[in-house]
Amino acid sequence: MSLTDAQVKRLKNPEKGQRTYFDDALPGFGVRVSQGGTKTFIVLCGRERKRKSIGRYPTVSLAEARARAKGIQSSYSLEQPTSPFVPKLTYEQARDAFLDDSQRRNRKRTYDEYHRLLHRHFKFKGDLKEVDRHKIVRVVDRLKKTPSEQKHAFVAIRTMMNWCFKRGYIDASPVPPLTFPSVSRSRVLSQDELRLVWRRAEEVGYPFGTIVQLLILTGQRRNEIVNLRRSWIYDGAIHFPKEIIKNKREHVIPLGKIAANAIEQIPTSTDMLFPSRLDHSRPFNGFSRSKRNFDLGLDVEPYTLHDLRRSFSSLMAQLRVPIHVTERILNHSSGTFGGISAVYNRYNYYDEMRDAILNYEANILAI
């Protein structure tokens, strides 16, 4: 049979002994099922059909086992000149196996980022072992105009190649120990710059312009805004579920009038306010191109979307909002709400947050 995840999961235990189901898609690769229900991936190598165990399901996924099998067969064919030709492990196969493993082990946000970066920037073809440091450096150097994206892309390919090395797909990681200049984390937009960014957001409109406006108005993280659902907005507040919050803690913030009006103007009829153009079940994800187009001709020094969150906090301080109220709005788990305070202080500061946000929005209108 051509093995699939669903088929492997449904394979029945033999009444006695063991039974092996081989994969039509990769000759010599299969899964051995024992009487006790243990499922072990195996691969047969060479003319003598020497059997090697790969790992147990579901600890090892089907995609990873198939990739490992190809690597084992490829290595064995090099050691045994008389063995029949076996396909080599390609970069694409190794990448897909890595992503499959990442999807099982990492948070969804981490997996999505690895998937985006590897598919967008590292489009290598052919044998995995032909991907050398020169090819990788050429890709990384092309991203120097976007330092944050450059660093994240480098981390993604380094993580993948280290994963391949640990599994024996390559003899050593080809990713060189590059260093990058640190990206400033102190950028705060001036009031004049905020005015220009806000006006550009009005010109651009939905979706990216509206996202920028809500980032300015709420001080929330980018991921929290693009994942917004209508069903999370009720009783004059946004109720963020813990699943999308960085610190995994449910977060409720009052919704100001300007922010509420911006949300009411959103044209989509789906529950998700900012769905992807290609898949309405996934959130907006075209940030690099949208931000680049957004900033064209904008007379503002380089800034990131996260700088809008820092600017929100700084403007709150200017307005004499107590730091603990600002931190509650930003949902910081450290600072005044860290340590023993997080254990004993259970007050939600909702009224104080509402007053602060109304004062902040009035100031944004004045700006």
Side-chain angles (χ1 to χ4, degrees):
M1 62 178 67
S2 294
L3 291 176
T4 64
D5 281 305
Q7 286 173 332
V8 172
K9 188 175 182 179
R10 290 197 302 266
L11 291 177
K12 296 182 179 180
N13 308 349
E15 293 183 3
K16 59 180 181 179
Q18 299 173 334
R19 181 178 178 183
T20 301
Y21 298 84
F22 285 100
D23 184 19
D24 289 341
L26 179 60
F29 169 67
V31 58
R32 188 175 68 241
V33 184
S34 69
Q35 183 179 358
T38 301
K39 298 172 181 176
T40 306
F41 292 110
I42 60 108
V43 61
L44 305 179
C45 302
R47 291 180 178 177
E48 65 273 27
R49 307 284 282 174
K50 184 176 181 180
R51 186 180 70 198
K52 292 181 178 290
S53 295
I54 298 173
R56 291 184 176 181
Y57 176 86
T59 303
V60 176
S61 70
L62 174 61
E64 183 180 351
R66 189 179 278 124
R68 286 190 193 181
K70 290 178 180 178
I72 292 171
Q73 288 182 331
S74 179
S75 299
Y76 194 86
S77 66
L78 293 175
E79 297 169 3
Q80 306 290 331
T82 58
S83 63
F85 172 77
V86 179
K88 293 180 180 180
L89 183 66
T90 66
Y91 165 79
E92 292 96 330
Q93 291 166 342
R95 179 199 60 201
D96 293 345
F98 164 74
L99 290 174
D100 182 76
D101 184 58
S102 173
Q103 190 171 30
R104 291 187 297 108
R105 294 188 303 106
N106 300 129
R107 292 187 304 171
K108 182 179 183 301
R109 182 179 178 183
T110 302
Y111 162 76
D112 287 344
E113 188 70 352
Y114 283 156
H115 187 282
R116 181 185 72 83
L117 292 166
L118 292 173
H119 277 83
R120 178 168 186 172
H121 301 301
F122 301 97
K123 302 176 182 179
F124 304 130
K125 303 291 183 182
D127 190 348
L128 173 65
K129 294 183 178 180
E130 293 179 359
V131 178
D132 57 26
R133 66 173 54 202
H134 301 293
K135 292 181 179 179
I136 291 171
V137 169
R138 279 198 295 270
V139 173
V140 174
D141 282 348
R142 286 201 297 266
L143 300 174
K144 61 184 178 181
K145 291 184 178 180
T146 52
S148 180
E149 181 80 354
Q150 181 187 48
K151 188 172 182 179
H152 290 155
F154 173 76
V155 170
I157 192 66
R158 183 183 64 188
T159 303
M160 176 191 154
M161 288 303 183
N162 286 340
W163 182 91
C164 291
F165 167 67
K166 291 175 182 178
R167 283 155 179 78
Y169 302 158
I170 51 180
D171 297 327
S173 172
V175 182
L178 301 178
T179 57
F180 303 92
S182 58
V183 180
S184 173
R185 302 184 65 179
S186 59
R187 175 83 162 94
V188 173
L189 277 70
S190 68
Q191 292 192 3
D192 286 337
E193 289 177 323
L194 274 178
R195 180 189 303 112
L196 292 173
V197 171
W198 180 272
R199 288 178 176 172
R200 175 57 57 85
E202 289 181 324
E203 295 171 5
V204 171
Y206 180 85
F208 191 74
T210 308
I211 291 172
V212 171
Q213 288 178 316
L214 291 178
L215 291 173
I216 292 173
L217 292 170
T218 67
Q220 302 308 293
R221 297 178 180 89
R222 185 184 79 177
N223 184 60
E224 294 159 1
I225 293 300
V226 298
N227 277 282
L228 262 178
R229 267 79 164 168
R230 293 184 189 277
S231 54
W232 298 352
I233 303 171
Y234 54 90
D235 296 336
I238 303 176
H239 301 252
F240 292 102
K242 62 183 180 181
E243 288 76 18
I244 69 136
I245 298 296
K246 184 177 181 180
N247 58 24
K248 299 300 178 184
R249 187 173 64 189
E250 185 178 353
H251 182 43
V252 179
I253 61 166
L255 190 62
K257 293 180 180 179
I258 304 177
N261 182 64
I263 291 173
E264 287 175 5
Q265 303 304 316
I266 292 176
T268 180
S269 59
T270 64
D271 189 41
M272 183 176 287
L273 296 184
F274 302 103
S276 166
R277 183 172 58 86
L278 301 177
D279 182 357
H280 283 192
S281 66
R282 300 174 68 86
F284 177 90
N285 59 7
F287 283 101
S288 297
R289 178 179 295 179
S290 297
K291 175 69 162 54
R292 188 165 56 250
N293 293 336
F294 184 91
D295 290 341
L296 286 175
L298 189 62
D299 188 20
V300 173
E301 291 296 315
Y303 69 99
T304 68
L305 292 180
H306 194 77
D307 292 335
L308 299 177
R309 178 173 165 88
R310 194 176 297 109
S311 302
F312 175 94
S313 179
S314 300
L315 188 51
M316 281 288 189
Q318 255 184 274
L319 297 174
R320 302 292 189 270
V321 174
I323 185 62
H324 59 273
V325 176
T326 301
E327 289 192 337
R328 184 63 85 186
I329 295 172
L330 297 176
N331 197 22
H332 280 166
S333 56
S334 57
T336 57
F337 292 103
I340 197 67
S341 177
V343 177
Y344 287 100
N345 186 1
R346 312 306 292 180
Y347 182 58
N348 62 19
Y349 291 94
Y350 186 85
D351 291 338
E352 290 84 352
M353 287 194 292
R354 183 188 58 218
D355 292 342
I357 287 175
L358 291 177
N359 188 17
Y360 174 85
E361 282 201 344
N363 196 261
I364 288 293
L365 273 179
I367 291 174

